[in-house]
Amino acid sequence: MKVVLPNDTELELPDGASGLDAARAIGPKLAEQAVLMRANGETRDLRLPLVDGERIQILTTRDTADPDALYVLRHSAAHLLAEAVRRLYPGVKVAIGPPIENGFYYDFDFPKPISDGDLEAIEAEILREIAEGREWTREEVSRDAASARFAAEGEPYKVELVDTAAGDISLYTQGDFTDLCRGPHLQNAAPIKAIKLTSLAGAYWRGDEKNAQLTRIYGTAFYSQADLDGYLERQELAKARDHRKLGPQLDLFHLSEESPGSPFWHPKGMVVWNELEDLRRRENRARGYDEVKTPLIYDVEVYKTSGHFENYREDMFFIPGDERSYALKPMNCPGHMLLFGSQLRSYRDLPLRYAESSTLHRDERAGVLHGLLRVRHLTQDDAHIFCTPEQIEDEIFGCLDFAATLYELFGMEARFELSTRPDKKLGTDAEWDFTENALRSALQRRGIEHVVNEGDGAFYGPKIDLHMTDVLGRSWQMGTIQLDSQMPKKFGLTFMGADNAEHTPYVVHRALLGSLERFIGIAIEHYGGAFPFWLAPVQVRLIPVAEPHRAAANALRARITAAGFRADIDERDDTLGKRIRDAEVEKVPYTIVYGDRESDESLAVRERGGGQSTKSVDELLTEFAALVAKV
RNA sequence: GCCGGAGUAGCUCAGCUGGUAGAGCACCGCUCUUGUAAAGCGGGGGUCAGGGGUUCGAGUCCCCUCUCCGGCUCCA
């Protein structure tokens, strides 16, 4: 048999040869350094046989940044962790331990709880294993044999995994530890040059909170100490961009125990907020939306009609009354349904687009709040579009175009995800074919790449979600575009068709920025606090050199303000250097020093980061106008 | 809600085995009157998250509650 190498040459090998055999045939050094192979684009354990004619690539310890090479390294590191834990904690049960982005974890059922302090000893044990040397061997066994083996070892989680596993069963052994595992794995532990256990967490068996909670140990591993150091350093730098740190530092908002999950917005934060509101309002108007305002509290009966009381009452805030009970709205849908239903509607009125940026309250479970990214008091840039089936695709397209335009403006790359019919769905497959296709073709029409989450749709319809990643790599849902055929029925909404008969409208629920709180949180991290000119709370900082220059600086400030820009003045009795430093720390886009040498015809302009130039006021205002015109 | 960790001045943090709270920055005052990333001196400021307990004595030990952090679960 033969295989094709990356440089297009062919390699002759005996039948049944493995990836490792191929590496040996090429060179002993390669065989020694080999960690993994890629065959036809898929990764495969080196121990597995090659297929005649396939194209292969051998990854080695020098592919230190290759995601697949890191995966196999970390997967093997997870097995070393399990081996160490079993030795240090007799009676522990092992569950599952995969590589993940930036590291790996392993879940254990400890006889007695462990804490952070124990990680050091476990890490030392792993290092000892590596120093001692570990080689992985792979064997393929029958399901029954594997099941019997793990049962005999008293490993119930492994037995369950064997019993529910798809395909053949393979085992990997290193030291005195044998694990159920599909692989691939390293040949031996030598390539693991740096390993660190990072944290401890609870995790439910098989991700179900009805199951036992296991103890998850997180760690990471690299092909070199320098890579690990670099990673830890990047994590530290990322923390400095965390909106929870930058927000209060830049005086944008703060959070307080007095009202957990409800931000206090400071004047500077409100500038950003209002710029987003202006943007939303302007674009909505241009795209044919009508702005509305609906109540914050409703009779509980309304939520019984909508179904929210039944499904989400745990997360709602209630206001008990003597005669009627009210609830704070957790979303705008019912209000907009009631508004639509308040008058007789004609097909000529459709599509009807109600937009509302409203405050919502959700009583989020303790433990899920997270800065601005998960709050109890949130504000969605919401809208509901009432339309006919024929109008769905155009309306979805309009929403996608709107969303894409917004994210492009911020230079953010959101991931679009299409979620399709769930098992528990309302309506027929024919209806779902129709609605899913409408969403899919709208995505294609706008040229948006997307991933599909089969079965993740809402019970009432398919949806498109936009996701962003925060500075520490956590994914958050931003915008959402949902198609709904059920809520209008629940509220008995109809419109009069051209056929003089009543029809039920479809509704598109859509929030594009998502929640303003979350969007601003992500934006703070995205820009590292250095907002573009149009969003910056303070656009220009004026610094009079000494007392005699204050009058001229104030006059200049008045001129800039009158032109519609946000300027402030730093008249503190501090040195010039100090005040410039503060302007930089506050990430003000423009700083103007005003002293004896300056006049309105000749200003000393410093841009954020340090660039200096001389400009007249008119030139400066023209420059500013150009900056905001792009928005 | 669950697992683990944390909470000391506005911020960042120190405070060893229990013995009546400390630094830098910030703030205020004075001096200096400034040229592109931190002038000098002085001063005010803390119910050590809250509550209960152990003790002659608790920031420090124990219990409960709240909040935050890392995860899990959830997210209409």
Side-chain angles (χ1 to χ4, degrees), chain A residues 260-280:
Chain A
S262 300
F264 286 71
W265 289 95
H266 299 195
K268 285 178 183 158
M270 276 314 289
V271 171
V272 177
W273 182 285
N274 284 330
E275 283 296 327
L276 293 180
E277 273 285 292
D278 289 349
L279 172 68
R280 175 193 77 85

Side-chain angles (χ1 to χ4, degrees), chain A residues 220-336:
Chain A
T220 190
F222 288 90
Y223 284 98
S224 77
Q225 184 64 39
D227 285 352
L228 173 61
D229 293 343
Y231 167 75
L232 295 175
E233 201 174 313
R234 281 194 303 280
Q235 289 293 107
E236 282 307 307
L237 285 174
K239 278 184 198 158
R241 288 171 79 99
D242 192 318
H243 77 280
R244 291 168 298 181
K245 200 175 175 68
L246 275 178
Q249 229 168 59
L250 296 174
D251 199 16
L252 302 173
F253 70 90
H254 80 273
L255 292 157
S256 154
E257 276 193 37
E258 282 79 16
S259 184
S262 300
F264 286 71
W265 289 95
H266 299 195
K268 285 178 183 158
M270 276 314 289
V271 171
V272 177
W273 182 285
N274 284 330
E275 283 296 327
L276 293 180
E277 273 285 292
D278 289 349
L279 172 68
R280 175 193 77 85
R281 195 161 272 142
R282 199 163 63 231
E283 279 296 314
N284 273 339
R285 205 158 26 208
R287 290 168 185 265
Y289 286 81
D290 296 317
E291 184 150 12
V292 298
K293 191 175 184 71
T294 57
L296 292 177
I297 63 172
Y298 294 84
D299 193 303
V300 169
E301 289 302 317
V302 170
Y303 300 107
K304 289 183 178 163
T305 302
S306 70
H308 291 112
F309 184 81
E310 188 57 32
N311 292 307
Y312 301 103
R313 109 183 75 167
E314 292 300 313
D315 293 329
M316 288 169 65
F317 286 104
F318 291 96
I319 307 169
D322 288 342
E323 310 206 336
R324 307 171 70 178
S325 283
Y326 292 87
L328 279 164
K329 68 174 165 187
M331 82 298 296
N332 293 306
C333 329
H336 290 188

Side-chain angles (χ1 to χ4, degrees), chain A residues 382-443:
Chain A
D382 210 357
H384 291 88
I385 304 170
F386 297 82
C387 66
T388 67
E390 297 73 35
Q391 293 167 335
I392 290 173
E393 191 189 319
D394 279 348
E395 289 307 315
I396 299 284
F397 176 84
C399 293
L400 285 172
D401 182 66
F402 195 162
T405 304
L406 289 174
Y407 285 78
E408 280 161 22
L409 171 63
F410 291 95
M412 293 180 178
E413 283 181 31
R415 295 182 304 282
F416 287 72
E417 301 187 1
L418 171 66
S419 297
T420 60
R421 71 196 78 179
D423 294 337
K424 204 180 79 178
K425 67 177 193 292
L426 293 171
T428 65
D429 278 324
E431 285 171 332
W432 279 84
D433 287 343
F434 173 74
T435 53
E436 285 174 9
N437 279 331
L439 266 56
R440 207 171 279 123
S441 58
L443 279 163

Side-chain angles (χ1 to χ4, degrees), chain A residues 574-591:
Chain A
D574 283 308
T575 58
L576 189 57
K578 167 69 171 161
R579 286 180 288 165
I580 285 172
R581 180 187 144 80
D582 283 351
E584 285 289 348
V585 168
E586 289 170 45
K587 303 185 192 297
V588 177
Y590 287 89
T591 302

Side-chain angles (χ1 to χ4, degrees), chain A residues 462-483:
Chain A
K463 59 176 183 166
I464 296 166
D465 292 327
L466 284 74
H467 295 257
M468 290 280 304
T469 304
D470 72 14
V471 78
L472 291 172
R474 292 173 286 227
S475 181
W476 299 90
Q477 184 190 304
M478 307 295 285
T480 184
I481 301 167
Q482 305 179 358
L483 187 56

Side-chain angles (χ1 to χ4, degrees), chain A residues 504-525:
Chain A
T504 304
Y506 271 87
V507 169
V508 177
H509 306 243
R510 104 338 48 153
L512 302 180
L513 301 176
S515 93
L516 287 199
E517 287 82 358
R518 182 175 287 180
F519 192 86
I520 292 176
I522 290 287
I524 291 170
E525 300 189 354

